[in-house]
């Protein structure tokens, strides 16, 4: 069997296509190289293009030119400007998602003067490299120059205050007199109706900031007058001249937890205010008093049996509902007060607030009530005292208008005030002028007596200085020696004493003889004339049987 040859037509590429293919490959390679070597194109949005010019304004990073502005145009909504720029390929790695841009131009403000060097060189755009792992090509520029680089190591927190005071951008943040950071920005928050300050605390001072840390304005000079005299306290000279904010842990407080980034803290007016209100967490109560609140000021203490547990925040009718304000019953005076768990040795935390709230509500059911008491009868200052009144019916805590109303009782302050007024009237009616004149006369008389006493002392001093008086001690000693010698001559062994002893013995013998003679004459008076009869001889007697 014979095989049949198969003839197939082989397709061949014409050599004419070789040249175009090579050209296409070269072109692709050139395009790839061009793309790889091309500068990065970015867009930056600013509120205004003041100082920015296409083809002239540079983009700098750490004062090194890394790009150039190519075009400036209005945004689509005409609310901002879009700056189109190119960044050198070698600096493209700086374009991260958290990179920042701002325009450096001459600025004069409360924080000082900056950008003076751009008066001659012209404005430029500063690039602050970010640390994010994501790259970015569209940015929103900053209108203010940040005081702290975004890559700086430390902690950023916010401070809120109801008054702007003397704190401004660039002011130092002080920790025990040492600069630990600065104020980055200051603005007003219409939503919260407070001023907000962004501050940066550098490492390693950021480790001293906890949730229990307090911030206060450090530019104040405080003068305190009390019973111990006057005391003046001030912060560092730098803070006095330029203002600033200080922070530390209040006395007696335990450090809290590490705060989160951009956590908000309250900015106190002074260090004394921090010690006056050292705790942050509290529970608020509304007291409705039927007594006069004249003398009950903001900051007046709230005490439980003499121990401070809080203070009065505000006294205003604004806490009353319209129904209560225009009711037929007597209108009470509301006073808002805060009670701090820290005053009763609990931790300064929200958990302690819940515990104290439950405790106070429980004690109110047992008769705990609040009343107004006089703190000073002369000045008329009042404070709130909380105590139990077992003879009165307990009252429960209730809610009214978003506030917790604590039960109160009237203590008849008008009667006390009337008594105090009567006492003052009595003191005023005393004849103080006559008493003053009498005291003056007594003082004059006492002065005259003192003058006489001085004259007598002078005369006595002259008398003592006389020679005869000075010889008296010697003469007195001689007299005493003579008396002593005489007393020794009258002693038991002296001749005088022995003679006197014999004389006394003879006198006793004569006295005994005379006594016997008298007895005999009394018994026989005749013997005075006649002699006494002879005595009979004694007869012996027989012995008795």
């Amino acid at each position: 069997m014979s095989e049949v040859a198969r003839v197939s037509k082989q397709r061949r590429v014409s050599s004419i296509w070789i040249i175009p293919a090579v050209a296409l490959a070269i072109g692709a390679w050139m395009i790839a190289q061009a793309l790889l070597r091309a500068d990065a194109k970015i867009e930056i949005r600013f509120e205004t293009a003041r100082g920015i010019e296409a083809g002239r304004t540079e983009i700098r990073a750490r004062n090194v030119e890394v790009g150039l502005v190519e075009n400036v145009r209005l945004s689509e909504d005409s609310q901002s400007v879009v700056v189109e720029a190119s960044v050198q390929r070698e600096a493209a790695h700086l374009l991260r998602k958290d990179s920042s841009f701002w325009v450096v131009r001459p600025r004069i403000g409360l924080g000082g003067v900056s950008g003076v060097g751009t008066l001659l060189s012209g404005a430029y755009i500063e690039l602050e490299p970010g640390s994010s792992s994501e790259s970015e090509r569209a940015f929103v520029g900053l209108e203010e120059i940040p005081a702290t680089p975004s890559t700086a190591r430390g902690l950023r927190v916010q401070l809120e205050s109801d008054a702007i005071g003397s704190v401004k951008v660039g002011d130092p943040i002080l920790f025990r007199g040492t600069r630990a950071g600065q104020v980055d920005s200051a603005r007003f928050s219409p939503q919260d109706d407070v001023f907000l300050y962004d501050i940066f605390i550098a490492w390693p001072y950021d480790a001293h900031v906890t949730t229990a840390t307090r911030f206060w304005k450090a530019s104040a000079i405080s003068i305190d007058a009390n019973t111990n005299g006057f005391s003046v306290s001030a912060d560092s000279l730098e803070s006095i001249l330029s203002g600033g904010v200080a922070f530390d842990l209040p006395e007696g407080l335990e450090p809290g937890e590490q705060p989160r980034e951009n956590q908000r803290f309250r900015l106190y007016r002074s260090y004394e205010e921090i010690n006056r209100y050292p705790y942050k967490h509290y529970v608020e109560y509304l007291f409705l008093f039927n007594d006069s609140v004249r003398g009950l000021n903001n900051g007046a203490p709230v005490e439980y049996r003499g121990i401070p547990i809080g203070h009065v925040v505000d006294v205003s009718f604004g806490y009353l509902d319209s129904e209560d304000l225009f009711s037929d019953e007597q209108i009470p005076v509301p006073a808002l007060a805060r009670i701090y768990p820290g005053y009763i040795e609990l931790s300064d935390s929200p958990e302690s607030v819940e515990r104290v709230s439950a405790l106070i509500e429980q004690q109110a059911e047992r008769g705990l009530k609040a009343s107004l008491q006089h703190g000073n009868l002369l000045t008329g200052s009042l404070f709130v005292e909380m105590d139990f009144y077992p003879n009165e019916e307990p009252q429960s805590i209730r809610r009214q208008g978003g506030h917790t109303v604590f039960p109160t009782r009237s203590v008849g302050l008008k009667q006390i005030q009337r008594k105090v007024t009567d006492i003052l009237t009595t003191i005023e009616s005393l004849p103080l002028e006559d008493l003053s004149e009498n005291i003056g006369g007594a003082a004059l008389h006492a002065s005259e007596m003192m003058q006489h006493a001085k004259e007598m002392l002078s005369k006595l001093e002259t008398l003592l200085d006389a020679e005869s008086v000075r010889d008296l001690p010697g003469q007195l000693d001689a007299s005493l020696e003579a008396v002593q010698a005489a007393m020794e001559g009258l002693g038991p062994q002296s001749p005088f004493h022995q003679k006197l002893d014999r004389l006394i013995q003879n006198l006793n013998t004569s006295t005994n003889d005379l006594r016997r003679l008298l007895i005999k004459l009394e018994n026989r008076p005749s013997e005075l004339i006649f002699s006494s009869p002879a005595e009979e001889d004694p007869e012996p007697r027989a012995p008795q049987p």
Side-chain angles (χ1 to χ4, degrees):
M1 185 172 127
S2 63
E3 295 181 358
V4 177
R6 298 181 58 186
V7 177
S8 60
K9 187 176 181 182
Q10 185 177 3
R11 301 183 60 183
R12 299 180 59 183
V13 178
S14 176
S15 59
I16 197 172
W17 295 103
I18 295 176
I19 295 176
V22 173
L24 182 62
I26 294 175
W29 179 81
M30 293 178 65
I31 293 174
Q33 290 296 319
L35 292 175
L36 291 175
R37 294 180 179 179
D39 295 336
K41 302 296 182 182
I42 62 173
E43 289 185 354
I44 311 171
R45 292 179 179 268
F46 290 102
E47 291 183 358
T48 176
R50 182 161 51 93
I52 302 175
E53 298 182 29
R56 295 190 59 182
T57 303
E58 301 173 350
I59 297 178
R60 299 181 183 180
R62 305 188 188 281
N63 210 24
V64 176
E65 181 182 354
V66 296
L68 185 67
V69 174
E70 296 179 344
N71 187 30
V72 180
R73 58 180 174 83
L74 287 174
S75 62
E76 293 76 7
D77 56 359
S78 302
Q79 298 298 317
S80 60
V81 296
V82 179
V83 176
E84 298 174 350
S86 61
V87 176
Q88 299 172 5
R89 181 175 58 85
E90 293 79 6
H93 65 282
L94 302 178
L95 303 174
R96 317 311 298 178
K97 190 173 184 179
D98 55 348
S99 297
S100 302
F101 293 86
W102 63 88
V103 180
V104 179
R105 63 172 74 94
R107 298 172 187 264
I108 300 176
L110 296 177
V113 180
S114 62
V116 179
T118 59
L119 289 173
L120 300 177
S121 61
Y124 63 90
I125 298 176
E126 180 71 25
L127 165 61
E128 178 67 30
S131 58
S132 174
S133 59
E134 302 180 20
S135 61
E136 184 63 52
R137 293 295 185 267
F139 303 90
V140 177
L142 303 177
E143 299 302 324
E144 299 292 338
I145 300 176
T148 305
S150 59
T151 56
R153 185 181 179 184
L155 175 68
R156 288 177 172 79
V157 296
Q158 286 187 339
L159 304 180
E160 66 175 21
S161 174
D162 53 358
I164 189 169
S166 58
V167 179
K168 54 185 180 298
V169 177
D171 280 355
I173 305 296
L174 304 175
F175 176 70
R176 299 176 184 176
T178 304
R179 187 183 182 101
Q182 58 188 359
V183 179
D184 285 345
S185 66
R187 63 186 183 280
F188 178 73
S189 174
Q191 296 81 10
D192 302 328
D193 194 24
V194 294
F195 289 93
L196 294 179
Y197 304 96
D198 295 317
I199 67 171
F200 174 76
I201 302 171
W203 179 89
Y205 301 101
D206 58 337
H208 296 279
V209 181
T210 65
T211 53
T213 299
R214 302 290 189 273
F215 295 84
W216 70 91
K217 296 178 182 177
S219 58
I221 300 177
S222 61
I223 301 176
D224 184 22
N226 49 42
T227 55
N228 297 325
F230 289 89
S231 62
V232 181
S233 60
D235 294 290
S236 64
L237 180 61
E238 179 184 8
S239 62
I240 294 175
L241 296 177
S242 61
V245 175
F247 73 92
D248 206 340
L249 193 66
E251 299 177 359
L253 278 189
E254 296 293 333
E257 301 176 354
Q258 191 70 21
R260 65 180 183 278
E261 192 76 7
N262 293 322
Q263 182 167 338
R264 186 175 297 186
F265 290 82
R266 179 186 174 187
L267 178 60
Y268 292 85
R269 297 178 184 272
S270 63
Y271 184 70
E272 287 71 21
E273 186 180 7
I274 291 175
N275 290 327
R276 191 181 303 121
Y277 310 118
Y279 305 107
K280 291 195 303 183
H281 297 89
Y282 54 83
V283 54
E284 282 188 344
Y285 289 103
L286 187 65
F287 301 126
L288 302 178
F289 293 111
N290 290 321
D291 294 317
S292 173
V293 297
R294 179 187 293 275
L296 184 67
N297 302 318
N298 295 346
V302 177
E303 299 182 355
Y304 172 72
R305 294 183 174 178
I307 299 177
I309 58 175
H311 64 91
V312 175
V313 178
D314 190 21
V315 179
S316 172
F317 283 109
Y319 300 105
L320 287 180
D321 296 336
S322 57
E323 296 179 356
D324 297 330
L325 192 60
F326 296 99
S327 65
D328 296 334
E329 300 178 355
Q330 58 178 342
I331 303 174
V333 180
L336 187 66
R338 293 174 179 174
I339 296 176
Y340 297 85
Y343 280 121
I344 53 178
E345 304 300 330
L346 294 177
S347 61
D348 191 20
S349 62
E351 293 77 14
S352 297
V353 171
E354 296 179 0
R355 292 182 61 188
V356 168
S357 300
L359 176 64
I360 292 178
E361 185 173 357
Q362 181 183 13
Q363 298 303 319
E365 297 290 342
R366 297 177 179 177
L368 185 66
K369 295 182 179 179
S371 62
L372 290 174
Q373 300 292 336
H374 276 289
N376 190 316
L377 292 177
L378 296 179
T379 61
S381 61
L382 300 177
F383 69 97
V384 179
E385 183 185 58
M386 300 178 70
D387 205 342
F388 290 93
Y389 300 92
N391 297 328
E392 299 180 4
E393 183 178 358
Q395 299 178 11
S396 301
I397 292 177
R398 59 186 175 87
R399 300 286 298 175
Q400 174 180 313
H403 295 89
T404 303
V405 179
F406 191 85
T408 59
R409 66 186 297 271
S410 177
V411 294
L413 289 177
K414 291 183 178 179
Q415 297 178 0
I416 298 176
Q417 291 175 349
R418 189 178 300 112
K419 291 182 180 178
V420 174
T421 303
D422 294 341
I423 294 174
L424 294 177
T425 303
T426 303
I427 295 175
E428 187 178 6
S429 62
L430 290 175
L432 298 179
E433 295 183 357
D434 298 339
L435 182 61
S436 177
E437 293 179 356
N438 293 334
I439 293 175
L444 180 60
H445 184 64
S447 176
E448 294 176 354
M449 290 181 63
M450 291 296 296
Q451 184 64 29
H452 291 317
K454 289 182 178 179
E455 294 176 359
M456 292 180 64
L457 290 175
S458 178
K459 292 179 179 179
L460 181 59
E461 186 177 2
T462 303
L463 179 61
L464 293 176
D465 291 338
E467 184 177 0
S468 57
V469 176
R470 290 199 301 269
D471 294 339
L472 281 177
Q475 296 176 1
L476 185 58
D477 291 340
S479 299
L480 290 175
E481 291 177 357
V483 171
Q484 186 175 2
M487 292 301 295
E488 291 177 354
L490 296 177
Q493 304 300 328
S494 63
F496 176 78
H497 190 276
Q498 292 176 359
K499 289 181 180 178
L500 182 61
D501 190 20
R502 286 194 299 271
L503 180 60
I504 292 173
Q505 289 178 359
N506 294 333
L507 183 59
N508 289 335
T509 303
S510 300
T511 303
N512 292 333
D513 294 341
L514 182 60
R515 184 183 298 110
R516 285 194 299 269
L517 177 62
L518 291 175
I519 294 172
K520 185 181 290 184
L521 290 177
E522 184 177 3
N523 296 331
R524 295 177 181 177
S526 58
E527 289 184 359
L528 183 63
I529 302 175
F530 305 102
S531 59
S532 59
E535 294 180 357
E536 296 180 354
D537 296 333
E539 294 180 359
R541 293 180 181 179
Q544 296 296 330

